[in-house]
Amino acid sequence: MELLDLRYVVVFKEFFKDKELLSSFISTITGKELKVESLQYTKEKSIEDGISITFDILAIDKYGYKINVEMEKSSTSSIKKKTQLYWASTFTRGFEKKSKFNDLKETICINILDENVFKDDVICREYVIYDVENKNRLDDSLSIYFVELQKGENSQGESLKDLWIKLLANSNKVDDMPEEVPIIKKAVSKLYQISQIEEVQLKVIEEALEESKRLDWKDDIIEQAKREIEEKIKLAKSLLDILDNETIANKTGLYIDIIKLLRM
């Protein structure tokens, strides 16, 4: 069967709802033993001019550390500014009038880049604040990571970090993933599971439509999902003038957001 691409945010979010998988990925990238206790996907923080920030994943570990993980399909040099804004928003989340500065917890931002931004061969890099004179870190409050998938997709490395990066870069090609690594075996199983969820398939289509300027409909990543729902979409279109969105969704099995999209 065709597997969905983890670089699509909707697939990425569904996949990492599994806290064990997310904990393993974060710990592997950062080299720190972190265990995710809670997840927040759609929380937004308003900025004064009305702009809001929506996180792909905001995870809280057992010690209260905050980890923001972003999948960036369209990576540009502006990602460096964006991640600093996201880090600041994550770092101050929950800080109120009665809070003390020592209540601010370590904050980690991990940016997974589908397109290369840095002009070297480094696949995974970490940025921190440190004293330029003696290289001492200010403290552990800030850590920003960049993972460039294109550089790691053909890696021959066998470390857990190499395997995670290859899986994210080539999630529709998992035959060479080693079954003897339990967490990777579970990750592949999870990917097969979510690739059969029609709601996720439909959301992939919607996400693809939103980036239509960059989309090639012949791409095998979504072609299978497109074929499977083609007839349902045709039926839904024939009902738009006579039924409401919820009824059409119930009759066709399509996700209601897709019905709304068809009315545009």
Side-chain angles (χ1 to χ4, degrees), residues 7-236:
R7 292 171 296 180
Y8 280 100
V9 174
V10 61
V11 184
F12 177 74
K13 290 182 178 182
E14 185 70 25
F15 179 82
F16 278 126
K17 282 181 180 179
D18 188 304
K19 295 176 186 176
E20 183 182 10
L21 295 178
L22 182 59
S23 296
S24 172
F25 172 73
I26 292 171
S27 297
T28 302
I29 294 299
T30 64
K32 303 174 182 179
E33 285 297 325
L34 299 170
K35 183 178 180 181
V36 173
E37 292 284 334
S38 63
L39 293 170
Q40 300 175 27
Y41 288 89
T42 58
K43 293 288 184 180
E44 297 185 351
K45 183 178 179 66
S46 296
I47 303 176
E48 290 182 2
D49 62 2
I51 298 174
S52 62
I53 293 174
T54 303
F55 301 101
D56 286 349
I57 296 175
L58 179 57
I60 312 297
D61 102 316
K62 61 182 179 180
Y63 298 113
Y65 298 163
K66 292 172 279 190
I67 308 104
N68 169 225
V69 187
E70 297 290 316
M71 173 59 77
E72 301 288 349
K73 282 203 76 199
S74 303
S75 307
T76 66
S77 58
S78 65
I79 187 61
K80 301 173 186 178
K81 299 292 186 183
K82 177 183 175 181
T83 193
Q84 292 177 73
L85 175 63
Y86 274 48
W87 174 84
S89 178
T90 306
F91 185 56
T92 56
R93 180 173 291 276
F95 192 75
E96 301 173 348
K97 289 183 178 179
K98 295 182 180 180
S99 299
K100 299 178 180 179
F101 290 118
N102 285 337
D103 294 333
L104 292 166
K105 298 294 186 180
E106 180 177 349
T107 299
I108 298 168
C109 288
I110 301 175
N111 302 277
I112 306 168
L113 311 182
D114 187 34
E115 299 175 2
N116 293 339
V117 171
F118 301 93
K119 297 179 180 180
D120 56 32
D121 295 327
V122 178
I123 299 171
C124 180
R125 71 190 72 230
E126 177 189 10
Y127 285 90
V128 299
I129 298 176
Y130 70 90
D131 181 341
V132 296
E133 186 69 27
N134 55 34
K135 310 303 181 185
N136 290 334
R137 287 188 67 159
L138 179 63
D139 65 9
D140 294 330
S141 297
L142 169 65
S143 295
I144 294 177
Y145 294 84
F146 294 94
V147 181
E148 294 179 286
L149 296 182
Q150 287 185 7
K151 294 177 182 178
E153 62 182 344
N154 296 317
S155 170
Q156 299 301 310
E158 297 181 355
S159 71
L160 188 55
K161 181 184 289 188
D162 291 323
L163 295 176
W164 266 119
I165 291 172
K166 283 193 289 186
L167 180 62
L168 289 169
N170 301 296
S171 57
N172 57 336
K173 300 177 182 177
V174 297
D175 293 342
D176 60 344
M177 287 290 117
E179 294 189 358
E180 63 271 17
V181 181
I183 195 66
I184 296 299
K185 183 177 180 180
K186 178 178 180 178
V188 171
S189 176
K190 178 71 173 180
L191 184 56
Y192 272 101
Q193 177 188 342
I194 64 175
S195 293
Q196 298 178 63
I197 301 175
E198 187 175 82
E199 180 178 322
V200 177
Q201 294 176 343
L202 295 170
K203 280 291 190 177
V204 169
I205 298 293
E206 182 179 358
E207 187 176 332
L209 285 171
E210 290 176 357
E211 57 174 39
S212 57
K213 290 182 180 180
R214 300 180 68 249
L215 178 67
D216 178 1
W217 278 109
K218 294 182 180 179
D219 191 340
D220 290 337
I221 295 169
I222 63 168
E223 189 64 25
Q224 181 64 28
K226 182 173 180 285
R227 286 197 301 268
E228 290 179 356
I229 69 167
E230 204 169 48
E231 287 303 314
K232 291 184 178 182
I233 289 178
K234 182 178 179 181
L235 174 59

